Amino acid sequence: MLIQLNIKNFALIEEIKVEFAEGFNILSGETGAGKSILIDAIDYVLGGKFSKSLIRTGEEKTFVEAVFSIDNELVKGELDELDIEYEDIIIISREYTLSGKSIIKVNGRSLIIAQLKKIREKILDIHGQHQNQTLLDRQSHIIYLDNFIGDKIKEPLKKFSELKERLSEIKSKILKINGNEDREKLIDYTKFQIDDITKGNLRVGEEEELKEEFNYLSNAEKINNSLKVSCELLNYREDGNSVVESLSKVISELSSVEKNSQIIGEKKAIIEEAYYNIEEVSRELRDIQEDTVYDENKLEKINGRIYEINGYKKKYGNTIEEVIEYLNKLKENYNELVNASEILKELEEEENKVLSEMKKIGNTLHEIRKEFSEKLKSSLLKELSYVGLEKSTMEIQVKLCENYNERGFDEVCFLISTNTGEPVKPLEKVLSGGELSRIMLAFKCVFADKDGISTLIFDEIDTGVSGAVAQRIGEKMYQVSLNHQVLCITHLPQIAILSDYHYFVSKSIKDNKTYTSIKILNKDEKINQVATMLGGNEVTKATYENVKEMLKLSEKKKSEIKAYKNT
C-alpha cells in the first residue's frame, strides 16, 4: 500500500508531501491543477518514462520518493532476490538531473530501471489512458485465468514446472555432449589431467600440516635449547632447587604439620596435584626435546612437497579442496566423453519420456482452462455490464500450441468488443482509456480475493459516463477497495461521494510561477467540493442539501457492499 509520497520540482509541483490511507481515495480538483501530475510522479518513481521537460522550470533536478507497506509474500520474494534489506516498508526514490544523471534507490540500495520494474509489478497498477501494463500484456492473461481457477490447477502446474526443469537439465547435458567436436583430443587431455592430479595423491589438510612441520623443523635448534632449559628448571638442576624438587620439599614440610590444621591439609593436596602434573609435563617435555633434531634432508623434503602442492593449486584450483573437486568433475566429464553414445541415447530416451509426460499434463491443464474460461467470461461480462459496458461481447481464447511455455502448452488471450456488431479484438486494440480502465475495474472485481497487487490507481475511468453508470462505477471501485488500496482521479460527484478519503488538488500563481498543492478534506469540505462538482460555479442551498443526502445514501450503500462482501 502507498503510505506516503514526497515530490520536489516535478512539473508544476515545487514541493509536496502527501500521506495516503487504505480504502477508497479520491483525487479531485479543477482542470490543470495537477491531479494527473501526481499520478505521473508515482509512475516516474516506479520506473516510468521521463522527460527533462518535467523538471520544474528553473530547477536543476527533480526528486520523487514513495513509501509503501509490504503487504504480500510476492514483494518480499522480489526484495530477497534483489538482496534488498527490509522490515515492514519499502522506500523507493528516483532523482533525475538536467545533465541526464539518474539515481534510483530502494531502501538505500541503488538499482537500475529493469530491477525497479520487477518490484513495481508486485505493488501497484496504474490504469489510465497510457498505463494498463498488466492487462495489455498478453503473457499475463494465462496468469489471470489460472488465478481465477485457483486450487484445481495448482497441482498439475507444479508437476509441469518440475518436469520442465528436469527437461532443461537433460537438454543442457545433451547440448554439452553434442558440442564436443574434438572428442578424442578432449578425452586425451582430460585423461592427462586426471592422471596428473591423481599422481599428486593430495589430501585435505595436508598443506597445513606440512607448513606447521616445516615451521617447527626450521626452528629446531631454538626449540631444542628452550626445551632443555625448561626441563632443567623443572626437574634437573644440579643444586637440587628445581621446581619439582622444591615442591617435594614443600609437600614434606606441610605433611609434618597437616594433622594440626585441616586447611593446611587441603592446601597440601592442591600442591601435590600440581607436583604430579608438573612432574608428568617435565617428562613429556624431555621426550619432545630428545626428538627435536634439526634434519636438513627432511626439511627439504617437506619444502619440496609444499612446492608440489602449490604447483597443483596454480594449475587446478586455489585450494586442495578445489583441486579435488575439479578432479571429480574431470572424472564425470571423462565418463561422459568415453561413454558419450550410450549416455546420449539414455538422455534422449529420458528427454522423450519427460516431454511425453509434459504433454499429458499440458492436455490436462488445457481442459481445465477451457472449462473455467467460460466461467470467467460469464463473471467478467456481468461486471462489465454493471459498469456501463453492457453491450460488450467477450471471448477467452485458450489455444493448445506445439511448443511449451512456463505454464504448459497453452496461449491465453482475452478478446473483447464493447460495441454491438463489432468483432472481438485483443485488449490492446481497445483505444479508449476510459473503457480500458472500466474493463480493468471489472477484472479487479472478479479477482478481488486473488490479486496480490495492493494498490490500484484509476485515471480517466469516468470518461464518457455520467448518472447511474457513474454511480455503479463508484460502487465497484469501493468494492475493490475492500481488498486493495484504490486511488482514483475523478470529476464525477457520484464517484467522489463514495470515497473514504477525499484529496483536493489546487494550483496558485505567485511571482509569475504556478504552484500545485494538495490537501485531504474533512467532512464539510468534502460536501462543499462534491457540491461544486455537482453544481459548477453556481452552488445553491438545494445543491448542498442534495449532496448531504447523497452522502447519507452513499454511507448506506457502502455498508450494504461491506455486508455483502462478508457473507
Side-chain angles (χ1 to χ4, degrees):
M1 182 183 86
L2 178 59
I3 300 172
Q4 185 175 300
L5 186 65
N6 302 312
I7 307 172
K8 286 187 71 174
N9 301 325
F10 190 93
L12 297 179
I13 299 172
E14 181 183 42
E15 185 168 2
I16 277 179
K17 175 182 177 182
V18 55
E19 295 180 353
F20 292 100
E22 61 184 3
F24 191 19
N25 297 268
I26 285 294
L27 284 80
S28 71
E30 64 186 57
T31 301
K35 301 182 297 296
S36 292
I37 293 174
L38 287 168
I39 307 303
D40 290 341
I42 295 172
D43 181 52
Y44 161 71
V45 78
L46 292 175
K49 292 181 180 179
F50 183 74
S51 168
K52 289 181 183 179
S53 62
L54 286 173
I55 298 176
R56 184 171 169 81
T57 303
E59 301 296 338
E60 293 295 317
K61 65 182 180 181
T62 188
F63 175 83
V64 181
E65 179 184 75
V67 182
F68 290 87
S69 59
I70 299 175
D71 302 312
N72 62 63
E73 294 301 318
L74 293 174
V75 178
K76 293 179 181 178
E78 198 62 56
L79 294 174
D80 289 337
E81 189 173 321
L82 294 170
D83 197 26
I84 295 172
E85 295 182 358
Y86 60 89
E87 290 184 359
D88 300 321
I89 62 171
I90 316 170
I91 301 175
I92 303 173
S93 66
R94 189 176 175 192
E95 179 179 296
Y96 199 96
T97 67
L98 283 175
S99 62
K101 183 180 179 183
S102 178
I103 301 172
I104 299 169
K105 290 194 174 184
V106 176
N107 285 1
R109 169 90 186 274
S110 296
L111 296 185
I112 59 174
I113 289 286
Q115 293 172 318
L116 177 58
K117 286 183 176 179
K118 286 185 177 181
I119 297 174
R120 174 193 181 127
E121 291 171 0
K122 308 295 188 301
I123 60 174
L124 181 142
D125 258 344
I126 299 177
H127 309 291
Q129 184 69 33
H130 304 293
Q131 302 107 341
N132 271 289
Q133 292 93 342
T134 55
L135 190 58
L136 297 184
D137 180 6
R138 289 197 193 187
Q139 293 182 354
S140 72
H141 293 182
I142 192 170
I143 298 173
Y144 273 105
L145 178 55
D146 288 352
N147 286 342
F148 178 78
I149 296 168
D151 292 339
K152 188 171 182 178
I153 205 166
K154 285 181 179 178
E155 193 57 38
L157 262 180
K158 180 183 176 184
K159 181 63 176 174
F160 182 86
S161 180
E162 291 169 353
L163 288 170
K164 179 179 168 294
E165 187 175 342
R166 177 59 189 148
L167 184 65
S168 179
E169 293 172 359
I170 295 168
K171 286 182 176 292
S172 295
K173 290 181 179 180
I174 291 173
L175 186 63
K176 183 179 177 183
I177 292 172
N178 287 331
N180 295 326
E181 297 178 359
D182 297 327
R183 184 173 286 111
E184 293 304 320
K185 289 182 181 180
L186 193 55
I187 288 173
D188 290 341
Y189 182 61
T190 304
K191 183 68 168 64
F192 166 77
Q193 287 183 305
I194 291 171
D195 292 342
D196 185 34
I197 299 174
T198 303
K199 183 175 62 179
N201 197 26
L202 300 173
R203 177 173 55 84
V204 175
E206 179 187 9
E207 188 176 17
E208 290 74 16
E209 294 170 6
L210 288 170
K211 287 180 178 179
E212 184 178 348
E213 190 174 3
F214 180 84
N215 182 60
Y216 189 85
L217 287 176
S218 298
N219 296 280
E221 291 183 3
K222 181 181 177 181
I223 293 170
N224 187 288
N225 184 60
S226 293
L227 289 171
K228 181 180 178 182
V229 172
S230 298
C231 288
E232 288 176 353
L233 290 170
L234 287 171
N235 207 9
Y236 303 106
R237 287 180 64 90
E238 292 180 0
D239 60 6
N241 290 325
S242 69
V243 173
V244 172
E245 289 171 319
S246 296
L247 284 174
S248 178
K249 291 175 183 178
V250 171
I251 292 167
S252 177
E253 288 295 327
L254 293 176
S255 295
S256 66
V257 296
E258 68 175 328
K259 61 184 178 182
N260 300 313
S261 171
Q262 182 180 346
I263 294 176
I264 292 174
E266 291 172 357
K267 302 306 177 185
K268 188 207 79 168
I270 295 172
I271 295 171
E272 274 185 327
E273 184 179 356
Y275 170 82
Y276 292 123
N277 286 336
I278 292 171
E279 191 177 41
E280 184 179 352
V281 170
S282 176
R283 286 195 298 270
E284 291 173 354
L285 289 176
R286 185 182 63 226
D287 292 340
I288 295 171
Q289 187 241 331
E290 289 174 354
D291 292 337
T292 303
V293 180
Y294 179 76
D295 188 337
E296 188 172 347
N297 290 332
K298 190 174 182 180
L299 201 60
E300 288 182 3
K301 184 178 178 182
I302 292 171
N303 194 42
R305 178 59 175 165
I306 291 173
Y307 180 80
E308 183 182 8
I309 290 172
N310 285 333
Y312 282 111
K313 286 162 60 180
K314 188 175 182 180
K315 288 190 288 185
Y316 304 114
N318 294 320
T319 63
I320 289 178
E321 287 90 341
E322 288 185 13
V323 175
I324 292 173
E325 185 180 346
Y326 182 65
L327 174 63
N328 292 331
K329 288 181 180 178
L330 285 172
K331 289 178 178 177
E332 289 179 13
N333 291 341
Y334 182 76
N335 179 59
E336 289 180 0
L337 289 166
V338 171
N339 303 294
S341 298
E342 294 178 13
I343 294 173
L344 193 61
K345 184 179 178 183
E346 291 175 2
L347 287 171
E348 288 173 345
E349 288 176 356
E350 187 177 1
E351 180 186 25
N352 290 331
K353 183 180 178 182
V354 172
L355 191 56
S356 177
E357 284 295 312
M358 287 172 65
K359 286 182 178 179
K360 287 181 183 177
I361 295 175
N363 287 330
T364 300
L365 291 169
H366 179 72
E367 292 304 317
I368 293 172
R369 288 179 179 130
K370 287 287 286 183
E371 175 190 350
F372 278 85
S373 66
E374 290 301 314
K375 296 178 181 179
L376 176 57
K377 182 176 81 170
S378 176
S379 297
L380 287 170
L381 286 173
K382 181 180 176 182
E383 296 295 341
L384 288 169
S385 177
Y386 195 85
V387 295
L389 295 173
E390 64 279 351
K391 296 179 181 179
S392 297
T393 55
M394 189 172 187
E395 181 181 334
I396 299 177
Q397 196 176 74
V398 183
K399 181 181 177 184
L400 189 63
C401 304
E402 285 294 321
N403 298 322
Y404 61 86
N405 54 50
E406 293 293 322
R407 307 179 76 86
F409 289 82
D410 288 331
E411 284 184 2
V412 176
C413 182
F414 297 148
L415 305 166
I416 193 168
S417 169
T418 56
N419 296 301
T420 304
E422 289 294 316
V424 291
K425 297 176 183 178
L427 288 178
E428 64 265 28
K429 302 296 184 182
V430 178
L431 298 180
S432 166
E435 284 185 347
L436 203 52
S437 292
R438 278 185 277 162
I439 292 168
M440 190 68 242
L441 177 59
F443 269 77
K444 291 299 178 182
C445 289
V446 173
F447 290 95
D449 297 323
K450 300 176 181 179
D451 193 339
I453 296 174
S454 58
T455 299
L456 305 174
I457 297 177
F458 291 98
D459 189 8
E460 298 187 34
I461 196 168
D462 55 11
T463 301
V465 299
S466 59
V469 174
Q471 175 73 21
R472 290 179 180 181
I473 291 173
E475 290 170 5
K476 281 300 172 184
M477 278 196 285
Y478 179 75
Q479 178 186 326
V480 172
S481 75
L482 297 177
N483 296 86
H484 304 260
Q485 179 192 43
V486 173
L487 277 67
C488 174
I489 293 178
T490 186
H491 301 282
L492 297 178
Q494 296 94 330
I495 293 176
I497 200 70
L498 288 158
S499 66
D500 294 318
Y501 303 94
H502 191 139
Y503 296 84
F504 182 69
V505 182
S506 60
K507 68 177 179 179
S508 58
I509 299 174
K510 183 179 179 182
D511 297 329
N512 291 321
K513 279 193 173 184
T514 304
Y515 296 85
T516 291
S517 60
I518 183 171
K519 66 171 291 188
I520 185 167
L521 304 180
N522 60 33
K523 183 178 178 180
D524 289 338
E525 289 171 332
K526 175 179 176 177
I527 290 172
N528 288 337
Q529 175 57 22
V530 174
T532 301
M533 296 168 76
L534 188 64
N537 293 328
E538 299 294 331
V539 179
T540 65
K541 184 177 179 181
T543 306
Y544 281 116
E545 293 303 318
N546 187 16
V547 172
K548 289 178 182 178
E549 184 64 25
M550 286 173 64
L551 187 59
K552 287 181 183 179
L553 292 173
S554 69
E555 292 301 322
K556 182 181 177 182
K557 176 58 71 174
K558 286 162 70 172
S559 296
E560 290 173 357
I561 293 171
K562 275 185 184 177
Y564 179 78
K565 176 74 175 60
N566 294 327
T567 57

